[in-house]
Structure formats: structure tokens, C-alpha cells
Amino acid sequence: MVIKAEINKGTGTVYFDDITLESADSQPEPEPDPEPEPAGDEITLRNPGFEEGSDSEVSGWGLSSGWSAENITADAYKGERAVKMTAGDDNVNLFQSSGWFAPSYSLKSAKIFTAWVKYEDIKGGGVYLKAERKSGGQNVADVQSDPVRGTSDG
């Protein structure tokens, strides 16, 4: 399984923070702690708030355009860091794969995939979240949100 936050080619800037994937059956109570412990069958992504890593990279996540210090920002929803991506001539995606020492995901029930997203002047293909299920290197089941465009404060 590959989890993605993507900005398609176009113009604008997007900020991602607090990406989660959990079972639709679990209904954890909201907690004030920015990194609560998993409850029940909640799925935990590695470093969902992007707090771990160097000044120019985020641990547990890949960035298709390659990491640089410009991709790490203090404009975060929770914690001290978020990921900033700028649209251009190519699609750019932030991704995490279950093959990278991340937890295995049971795909026997529905999932809820969420993220805090702030975006400015997005034009073109838009910004969206995507989950790809792969088998033998081939996509066998992809799900993605509707793309958003324009401006939103998160």
C-alpha cells in the first residue's frame, strides 16, 4: 500500500501536516495531545506530523521531487513542522509505502485517510490524497479524494 499527498502540475503552494490512516470502524475520542497513542485498530503511519528528520528531510516519507530545506516549514497545524510543496511543470507527491518498515495495513475493512492541508492559489490539476494498493508492482486498487483548487487556510 502506498499513501500519497499530491499536487498536480500547475501553480500554487500546499502545506501538509498530521496525515492519518485509520479503520473506519474505530472512533477514537479527540485528544489534545498532537501525537496520541493509537486506539483499538487505528493504523499508525510513520511520522504522521513530520516532526522527525533533518533540516532538509522528513523521516519515513519520500518526496518525488527530492527533499530540500525549502520543503520543511514551521507553518504547521500541530507540532513544529509541516511539509511545503510548490506546483510546477510536473506532479509532486509526498508518499509513504508499507514496504518501508511502516506498519502493515489490513485491507479487510474500510479506511479513513485524512490530512491537514493548507493551500494558496492552486491552479491546474489541484491537490488531493491518494491510496494505492499494489500487487506484484502493479496498481490493483486506487482511491483518491477529489482535487481541490484555490486557497484555504487549512
Side-chain angles (χ1 to χ4, degrees):
M1 173 98 120
V2 178
I3 301 299
K4 292 183 175 181
E6 186 161 311
I7 183 170
N8 279 337
K9 55 182 156 179
T11 59
T13 303
V14 63
Y15 304 83
F16 289 103
D17 197 7
D18 199 30
I19 295 179
T20 63
L21 178 68
E22 62 187 29
S23 171
D25 297 332
S26 67
Q27 306 250 341
E29 294 294 318
E31 296 190 24
D33 183 8
E35 298 288 339
E37 290 296 316
D41 58 355
E42 182 178 338
I43 298 168
T44 303
L45 297 175
R46 288 189 62 208
N47 197 13
F50 310 114
E51 299 302 315
E52 299 169 16
S54 68
D55 290 343
S56 61
E57 190 173 46
V58 173
S59 295
W61 292 88
L63 188 62
S64 62
S65 62
W67 286 106
S68 74
E70 295 173 2
N71 298 115
I72 311 299
T73 178
D75 194 352
Y77 174 65
K78 293 181 180 178
E80 302 293 322
R81 295 168 28 131
V83 172
K84 174 183 172 184
M85 296 172 7
T86 303
D89 292 335
D90 296 310
N91 296 351
V92 179
N93 60 65
L94 174 68
F95 58 93
Q96 185 172 117
S97 170
S98 58
W100 293 354
F101 307 106
S104 294
Y105 312 121
S106 169
L107 302 176
K108 294 180 181 177
S109 64
K111 306 294 180 242
I112 299 172
F113 181 20
T114 62
W116 176 82
V117 183
K118 175 181 171 180
Y119 48 98
E120 300 168 349
D121 301 318
I122 298 293
K123 295 177 183 163
V127 174
Y128 57 90
L129 301 176
K130 184 175 186 178
E132 297 175 349
R133 182 175 178 199
K134 296 184 178 279
S135 178
Q138 300 294 317
N139 288 14
V140 294
D142 294 355
V143 178
Q144 78 178 42
S145 66
D146 290 332
V148 294
R149 295 170 188 85
T151 299
S152 172
D153 286 336

